[in-house]
Amino acid sequence: LFAPTEKARENLIKENVSGVIYVTGNTVIDAIEIYFNRVREVEEIVLSRVRFDRFALVTFHRAETVDDPYALGNLVKILSFSPIPIVFPIHPRTRKRLCEYGLWRAVENISHLQILPPLGYFEFLALMKNAEVILTDSGGIQEEATHPKIRKPVLVLRMSTERPEAVEAGFAKVVGINPVVVLTELEKLIRGKPKLPAKSPFGDGKAAQRIVEIIKQKLEI
């Protein structure tokens, strides 16, 4: 079994899984390391589309976030009162729900908000690299934000996270969707310029290499 972190290994042990557990790191970090030159290639083009010099990057798409009209309304309030301009690559599910619940016009009329269509992997990483802070309900983004070449604070728009390593390392904070709480934490981040770790808690970009080596040893290749 391949665990991305020591905490993941501990959880597997608690679940009494069978087999040998190896802590290898997370291949998400590998992917950024391998393809970061591609991010640099598209960075200028991506930023030329952004209206703001400084901005927060926001995404939300989970069912518990966007399928509940009350929850989605809270997120619209957060967008409306943000103390920093927002770039919002919008998920099709999110756009659909905003329209269904009569919230789309309110979002369109937020002057400090720029809505973008869904972006490719490299384009989105370019936005992450240049954002001051990230607000999201995405698990993968919580991991990607810890890569040393991204290294951005994340406010997690949920009541819990499956990535506690990001929280414990100081990269992420779970804030829920209460507008007062989220906006207070956002204000703290943009004023305080938090010091983030130099290393990712999810590995050093060599997880795939370790996994291959372990498999080769086991197969006696």
Side-chain angles (χ1 to χ4, degrees):
L1 301 172
F2 303 114
T5 65
E6 182 60 33
K7 182 174 286 292
R9 186 186 76 85
E10 292 169 2
N11 287 336
L12 288 171
I13 292 171
K14 290 176 183 177
E15 292 175 6
N16 296 315
V17 298
S18 59
V20 181
I21 303 168
Y22 299 91
V23 177
T24 60
N26 192 319
T27 53
V28 165
I29 303 301
D30 292 24
I32 297 177
E33 192 67 28
I34 292 167
Y35 292 113
F36 202 75
N37 284 339
R38 297 287 299 276
V39 176
R40 291 195 178 99
E41 289 172 7
V42 303
E43 187 172 2
E44 185 176 347
I45 296 171
V46 171
L47 293 179
S48 70
R49 299 170 60 189
V50 176
R51 301 199 316 256
F52 315 115
D53 293 329
R54 55 192 296 260
F55 61 91
L57 179 61
V58 175
T59 74
F60 47 84
H61 68 279
R62 285 177 175 266
E64 66 265 32
T65 309
V66 303
D67 289 355
D68 179 345
Y70 178 77
L72 193 56
N74 274 348
L75 291 168
V76 172
K77 290 177 184 177
I78 292 165
L79 298 177
S80 300
F81 293 101
S82 171
I84 184 173
I86 291 172
V87 175
F88 184 26
I90 192 163
H91 192 283
R93 179 195 194 113
T94 306
R95 189 184 193 115
K96 181 179 180 181
R97 294 293 183 262
L98 287 168
C99 293
E100 285 180 359
Y101 301 148
L103 296 167
W104 180 248
R105 185 168 296 237
V107 171
E108 278 191 311
N109 289 333
I110 300 172
S111 60
H112 57 268
L113 173 69
Q114 182 176 0
I115 298 172
L116 296 178
L119 299 175
Y121 177 60
F122 305 129
E123 289 79 9
F124 192 82
L125 287 177
L127 282 182
M128 289 182 67
K129 177 177 178 288
N130 287 277
E132 288 197 22
V133 58
I134 300 166
L135 294 86
T136 188
D137 62 3
S138 165
I141 290 174
Q142 293 174 56
E143 297 169 348
E144 291 165 343
T146 69
H147 190 284
K149 293 174 182 173
I150 304 292
R151 204 162 162 255
K152 290 296 186 296
V154 179
L155 295 180
V156 182
L157 300 172
R158 296 169 59 193
M159 298 309 296
S160 63
T161 178
E162 303 87 357
R163 277 76 176 183
E165 296 92 341
V167 175
E168 293 168 4
F171 283 99
K173 185 167 187 177
V174 178
V175 294
I177 56 170
N178 182 303
V180 174
V181 174
V182 176
L183 292 169
T184 298
E185 293 299 331
L186 179 56
E187 186 76 37
K188 288 179 184 177
L189 280 179
I190 62 177
R191 286 179 178 273
K193 305 293 182 185
K195 293 181 180 179
L196 300 175
K199 296 180 180 180
S200 170
F202 297 105
D204 57 5
K206 298 178 181 178
Q209 180 180 326
R210 292 188 183 96
I211 291 169
V212 169
E213 287 302 318
I214 292 167
I215 292 172
K216 286 170 65 177
Q217 288 174 14
K218 293 299 179 182
L219 296 176
E220 296 183 352
I221 295 176

